Amino acid sequence: TTTVPVPTPLPGIATVKNSAGILMNQYNTIAAALVLAAGSSGWTIELTPGTYNETLDFGAGGITNLKVVATGSAAETIIKPSGASQVSGANITFEGITFDEATAAFTVAATATTFNFTNCIFKNGAGTLLAITAGATPGTIDGCTFNVTGTVLVGINGGAVNTVKNS
């Protein structure tokens, strides 16, 4: 019997799995993982603990039913965009991730349909931490923490949120 070794994940690695859960590739940026997932449905990007300093569009290239999950805690898995990042695809889910928004709010674009944030942390915003724009269809914000130095935690500008709860 041969035992296949399971390597310890490296910090700051985005692992891409297809809808069957098969490993497709690993990258040191989320942007590269999104390129691979473009045009796909039902894929998962697993983020190992680390800080990802990049501006992103979750949904570009026709991505739908994408799940972006942290393999460690939200406090250890941080997306820190250098510019405006957004969700623009259909059924995009984030679980256990910190969005460190010292430069810009994370936006749910008008093209987004059914967005979900579960057990995420939004922090360091001087204003709006999560902007939901007009046209975005209902989504869920569940068990998330908002730490803001400004006055607006979630800006709902004509967009829709089905559920905001702290479970």
Side-chain angles (χ1 to χ4, degrees):
T1 302
T2 303
T3 303
V4 177
V6 177
T8 304
L10 297 171
I13 299 296
T15 299
V16 183
K17 294 183 178 178
N18 68 13
S19 58
I22 297 169
L23 174 67
M24 300 305 292
N25 212 333
Q26 294 180 312
Y27 299 97
N28 61 1
T29 68
I30 300 169
L34 290 170
V35 169
L36 179 63
S40 302
S41 178
W43 286 30
T44 299
I45 297 175
E46 295 176 349
L47 303 177
T48 61
T51 300
Y52 299 84
N53 295 303
E54 47 190 319
T55 300
L56 303 161
D57 183 352
F58 293 91
I63 298 172
T64 60
N65 299 313
L66 176 69
K67 185 183 266 189
V68 183
V69 299
T71 61
S73 72
E76 301 171 314
T77 310
I78 303 162
I79 295 175
K80 189 172 185 175
S82 55
S85 287
Q86 69 176 357
V87 175
S88 63
N91 198 24
I92 309 293
T93 298
F94 299 92
E95 292 179 9
I97 296 168
T98 292
F99 296 90
D100 186 336
E101 303 166 47
T103 57
F106 193 80
T107 301
V108 176
T111 56
T113 57
T114 317
F115 58 91
N116 301 288
F117 295 94
T118 303
N119 299 322
C120 292
I121 299 170
F122 295 85
K123 69 178 192 174
N124 291 333
T128 304
L129 289 175
L130 178 60
I132 302 169
T133 58
T137 59
T140 300
I141 301 169
D142 183 10
C144 295
T145 302
F146 294 87
N147 178 0
V148 65
T149 56
T151 57
V152 180
L153 299 177
V154 179
I156 302 174
N157 305 316
V161 178
N162 263 353
T163 309
V164 178
K165 62 182 179 176
N166 190 11
S167 32

